Amino acid sequence: MSAENGTPASTAGSSGTPGTPGSPVGPQPEPIRFFGTTWVDRSGGYTARRVGVAVGSLAAAAVSCFVLRIAYQGLRIAEIGSFVTLLMVVMFAICSALAFRHTWSAFTTRPDPARQASLRGLLAIGFVGSLVAYFFRSLTEAPGEKLHRAEYETAREQYEKRTTRRSGNPSKKRRRS
């Protein structure tokens, strides 16, 4: 295991083809950012990573709000008008709310890549909402763990069905009369 993110370390002698000694058999779990594959069996410092992600995302959200406050004060000092100041505050609030909802829903369902690309600007403006969603999700699980676990278990079940159906020597099967 890689100490950095918990993903399996590659073995020097394995070529990556199935059936080679040292290569994993069946579907492999998809790594999650900051957690690697430790979410599968919740080992390798999983709890400490969750705490770290929660604290880190909350601290990043707090620092981001502080930076936004400095920007707001800059607008007030520049005396550009209350309408523009109000427009900026409303824009950040709406974008943060939309970013929170989008990030939260992305933890349970795979987002559409085309929609994700079209929302990139909105998500960049509402980054505080994404950080807050990351914080709340990390209180209960690794962000995205539920989705990844469901996909991994489905893939494992399908793999088991395929391999058990094909097991045995077909020439030794009993013929039906």
Side-chain angles (χ1 to χ4, degrees):
M1 292 294 248
S2 170
E4 186 176 305
N5 63 0
T7 56
S10 63
T11 56
S14 98
S15 62
T17 57
T20 332
S23 66
V25 179
Q28 298 303 308
E30 186 178 343
I32 297 176
R33 181 182 293 156
F34 304 122
F35 293 91
T37 56
T38 59
W39 60 268
V40 175
D41 56 358
R42 296 185 174 186
S43 64
Y46 173 82
T47 306
R49 289 174 194 237
R50 262 193 38 216
V51 169
V53 165
V55 169
S57 60
L58 188 60
V63 168
S64 300
C65 288
F66 179 72
V67 169
L68 288 175
R69 177 165 179 184
I70 291 173
Y72 173 78
Q73 288 175 341
L75 290 176
R76 298 277 302 200
I77 291 170
E79 296 179 2
I80 57 171
S82 60
F83 177 72
V84 175
T85 304
L86 178 66
L87 195 62
M88 187 196 88
V89 169
V90 169
M91 176 198 64
F92 272 105
I94 290 173
C95 288
S96 290
L98 291 173
F100 177 89
R101 181 175 175 333
H102 178 76
T103 304
W104 190 263
S105 67
F107 292 143
T108 54
T109 58
R110 292 261 180 203
D112 178 33
R115 184 170 184 263
Q116 183 82 8
S118 68
L119 291 176
R120 187 170 291 137
L122 180 124
L123 294 175
I125 294 170
F127 62 97
V128 175
S130 292
L131 290 169
V132 171
Y134 217 78
F135 166 73
F136 282 124
R137 181 58 79 164
S138 63
L139 293 177
T140 58
E141 67 176 10
E145 179 182 344
K146 185 177 183 179
L147 172 66
H148 285 76
R149 188 171 302 281
E151 290 175 349
Y152 178 62
E153 288 174 359
T154 302
R156 291 293 297 178
E157 288 171 6
Q158 291 173 350
Y159 175 78
E160 293 297 323
K161 284 180 184 177
R162 285 193 312 266
T163 55
T164 55
R165 250 188 301 177
R166 296 182 193 161
S167 65
N169 187 350
S171 65
K172 292 184 179 180
K173 275 191 174 174
R174 300 169 92 192
R175 304 246 183 218
R176 294 185 196 180
S177 317

